């Protein structure tokens, strides 16, 4: 009697069993640190509104709940979910979260669960002929939507609102949703996005008026794409008129800085040093969030888990593109704790506004190109009506 062949999904889950323990370990450590921060005097509201736990921790635990707890008994459920013929929001969210945590490893091993970069509509790849016809009907008026870390293109739709769909209805823009593996280095995604947009612009056979709306890590990927597109002399770069950043960690995010701090702390003690490997399960995309790395030279030739100061090469905003930024804070009233430590739960106010103590690294958003939303967290930026009103005003002006 022949042995039943193992599926590629089973191979992934078996080989990843120890890695899942590491994911659970570092998640718990970093989450505990941030819970301590949010429980400081004056930060109780942040804890009540979810903050960091609302995105990264919940996404990571979505994976580990399915795989890490009773992994053998969960295997059949997970395989069935991944083998569904039609993409479902639940399936897409699980795969996006897995890619956010381990996406670089999945790609390096040629695993079929690694997300391939593509433009999608309703969670499906665009048929080329349909895409070109849609571009023609829209007169080249396009808005590119770039999602954030551990997320996917379907998650622009939150609480029955989608900024891209709303812009299509109100301004007649054709929304193009990018789907990509957020566990890869930001600069790797940036260069691939630059090539993808150059291919699109050449096939469109018309000049595009391209606006870009980005959330979180998507802003770093887009800045990287604009940089590499300009270096390569790509034509699409000259067709970008405006870019709107939503909660982008231009100068990094406390979550990754906390993880790096824990690596260092554990390695100082010979008894705890072996546990420092818990923190090293983080993907390249996550470690790029420490300071907001967007170029290859920001990370090449370095141990990405080694504690370092901010060694970035300055990359200013593109001079010929109107750049706007939305920052948020879960505190209603201004204050150092809420604005500069907690921020929207993932990104501090200064990081989202591009403000840095080094003038060379500081991004110079004009004052009327900045907007701060108070009483909202990182995810609420995706569906808050005030945020959409600001986006619409900037893109129709």
């Amino acid at each position: 009697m022949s042995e039943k062949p193992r599926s590629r999904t089973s191979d992934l889950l078996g080989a990843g069993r120890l890695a899942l323990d590491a994911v659970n370990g570092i998640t718990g450590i970093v989450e505990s640190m941030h819970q301590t921060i949010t429980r400081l005097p004056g930060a109780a509201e942040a804890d009540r509104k979810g903050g960091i736990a609302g995105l990264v921790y919940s996404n990571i635990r979505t994976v580990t709940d399915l795989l890490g707890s009773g992994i053998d008994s969960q295997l059949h459920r997970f395989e069935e979910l991944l083998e569904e013929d039609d993409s479902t929001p639940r399936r897409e969210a699980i795969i996006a979260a897995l890619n956010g945590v381990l996406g670089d490893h999945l790609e390096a091993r040629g695993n079929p669960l690694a997300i391939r970069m593509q433009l999608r509509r309703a969670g499906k790849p665009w048929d080329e002929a349909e895409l070109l016809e849609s571009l023609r009907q829209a007169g080249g008026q396009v808005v590119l939507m770039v999602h954030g870390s551990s997320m996917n293109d379907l998650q622009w739709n939150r609480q029955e609102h989608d900024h891209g769909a709303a812009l299509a209805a109100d301004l007649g823009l054709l929304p193009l949703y990018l789907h990509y593996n957020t566990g890869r280095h930001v600069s790797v995604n940036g260069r691939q996005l630059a090539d993808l947009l150059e291919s699109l612009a050449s096939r469109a056979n018309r000049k595009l008026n391209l606006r870009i709306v980005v959330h979180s890590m998507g802003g770093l990927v887009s800045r990287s794409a604009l940089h590499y597109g300009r270096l390569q002399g790509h034509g699409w770069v000259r067709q970008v008129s405006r870019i709107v950043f939503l909660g982008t960690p231009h100068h990094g995010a406390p979550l990754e800085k906390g993880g790096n701090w824990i690596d260092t702390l554990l390695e100082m003690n010979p008894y705890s040093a072996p546990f420092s490997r818990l923190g090293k399960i983080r993907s390249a995309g996550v470690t790029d969030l420490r300071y907001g790395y967007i170029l290859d030279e920001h990370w090449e030739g370095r141990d990405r888990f080694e504690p370092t100061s901010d060694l970035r090469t300055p990359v200013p905003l593109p001079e010929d593109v109107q750049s706007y930024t939305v920052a948020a804070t879960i505190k209603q009233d201004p204050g150092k704790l809420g604005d500069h430590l907690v921020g929207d739960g993932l990104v501090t106010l200064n990081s989202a506004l591009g403000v840095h103590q080094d003038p060379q690294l500081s991004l110079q958003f004009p004052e009327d190109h900045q907007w701060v939303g108070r009483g909202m967290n990182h995810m609420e930026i995706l569906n808050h009506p005030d945020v959409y009103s600001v986006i619409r005003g900037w893109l129709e002006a």
Side-chain angles (χ1 to χ4, degrees):
M1 184 174 176
S2 61
E3 184 181 22
K4 182 180 178 180
R6 288 172 55 87
S7 72
R8 289 184 292 182
T9 303
S10 298
D11 288 338
L12 167 71
L13 303 184
R17 191 170 300 176
L18 292 179
L20 290 168
D21 290 338
V23 173
N24 275 324
I26 191 61
T27 302
I29 293 171
V30 180
E31 184 177 25
S32 294
M33 181 191 70
H34 281 279
Q35 286 178 343
T36 299
I37 291 172
T38 57
R39 287 170 183 163
L40 292 173
E45 181 184 356
D47 193 42
R48 289 197 304 271
K49 298 197 72 168
I52 293 170
L55 175 61
V56 172
Y57 298 131
S58 63
N59 277 342
I60 292 175
R61 285 201 168 91
T62 296
V63 179
T64 54
D65 283 347
L66 282 173
L67 309 184
S69 175
I71 190 167
D72 294 322
S73 63
Q74 298 288 343
L75 176 59
H76 182 64
R77 285 177 52 203
F78 193 70
E79 280 192 292
E80 286 183 347
L81 180 65
L82 296 180
E83 290 170 0
E84 291 177 0
D85 291 334
D86 297 323
S87 295
T88 64
R90 179 167 174 259
R91 178 185 187 277
E92 295 285 343
I94 291 170
I95 294 177
L98 183 64
N99 275 259
V101 178
L102 298 170
D104 52 345
H105 301 287
L106 294 176
E107 182 181 58
R109 288 160 178 75
N111 193 285
L113 293 181
I115 291 172
R116 292 181 297 111
M117 181 179 288
Q118 57 189 305
L119 296 173
R120 303 208 303 181
R121 177 176 60 174
K124 300 287 187 182
W126 275 89
D127 173 80
E128 181 171 353
E130 292 179 355
L131 173 57
L132 296 180
E133 175 59 20
S134 295
L135 286 172
R136 185 192 67 78
Q137 292 180 6
Q141 302 297 314
V142 174
V143 58
L144 175 69
M145 311 294 294
V146 187
H147 64 75
S149 176
S150 298
M151 299 184 71
N152 63 70
D153 53 310
L154 293 176
Q155 289 171 300
W156 279 103
N157 191 326
R158 185 173 188 272
Q159 297 187 5
E160 300 183 356
H161 174 82
D162 178 334
H163 291 324
L167 291 169
D170 294 343
L171 302 183
L173 304 180
L174 175 66
L176 302 179
Y177 295 88
L178 185 72
H179 185 50
Y180 68 102
N181 178 349
T182 62
R184 305 164 83 205
H185 276 294
V186 167
S187 60
V188 173
N189 278 324
R191 285 188 280 106
Q192 186 175 2
L193 175 56
D195 291 340
L196 184 152
L197 292 176
E198 180 67 0
S199 175
L200 175 67
S202 64
R203 287 182 291 134
N205 197 27
R206 65 173 55 247
K207 184 176 181 179
L208 303 177
N209 183 355
L210 178 59
R211 291 87 154 176
I212 305 176
V213 176
V214 300
H215 180 236
S216 197
M217 177 192 277
L220 301 180
V221 172
S222 298
R223 285 180 58 205
S224 180
L226 284 163
H227 173 83
Y228 286 113
R230 183 169 282 103
L231 283 183
Q232 295 294 324
H234 287 174
W236 72 268
V237 175
R238 296 187 296 275
Q239 300 177 48
V240 178
S241 59
R242 304 177 186 210
I243 181 168
V244 178
F245 299 95
L246 307 176
T248 292
H250 294 290
H251 301 306
L255 174 66
E256 166 50 25
K257 292 175 183 177
N260 186 239
W261 174 79
I262 289 166
D263 290 346
T264 305
L265 183 65
L266 290 174
E267 289 173 351
M268 290 174 64
N269 185 321
Y271 295 99
S272 63
F275 294 98
S276 67
R277 282 173 288 182
L278 288 175
K280 296 183 179 181
I281 194 65
R282 306 191 305 279
S283 69
V286 171
T287 54
D288 281 348
L289 294 178
R290 187 179 311 155
Y291 294 113
Y293 293 162
I294 65 173
L295 303 182
D296 293 340
E297 51 263 40
H298 289 165
W299 57 267
E300 281 185 331
R302 299 173 184 164
D303 179 352
R304 61 191 179 92
F305 298 107
E306 188 71 21
T308 63
S309 57
D310 189 349
L311 302 176
R312 286 177 296 161
T313 303
V315 183
L317 297 171
E319 294 182 357
D320 50 352
V321 177
Q322 294 293 311
S323 299
Y324 305 84
T325 188
V326 168
T329 172
I330 50 187
K331 298 294 291 181
Q332 289 286 355
D333 300 318
K336 290 185 178 180
L337 179 63
D339 292 354
H340 305 306
L341 185 58
V342 178
D344 64 16
L346 280 176
V347 182
T348 64
L349 213 57
N350 279 345
S351 186
L353 294 175
V355 176
H356 198 280
Q357 59 185 3
D358 182 346
Q360 290 188 313
L361 291 174
S362 190
L363 302 179
Q364 304 299 319
F365 287 98
E367 285 192 18
D368 59 347
H369 287 199
Q370 304 176 36
W371 188 84
V372 175
R374 294 195 170 276
M376 69 179 71
N377 63 38
H378 194 70
M379 293 301 294
E380 289 172 326
I381 295 173
L382 291 175
N383 63 280
H384 200 287
D386 290 347
V387 174
Y388 175 68
S389 178
V390 169
I391 296 171
R392 174 178 171 171
W394 283 338
L395 294 187
E396 72 178 345

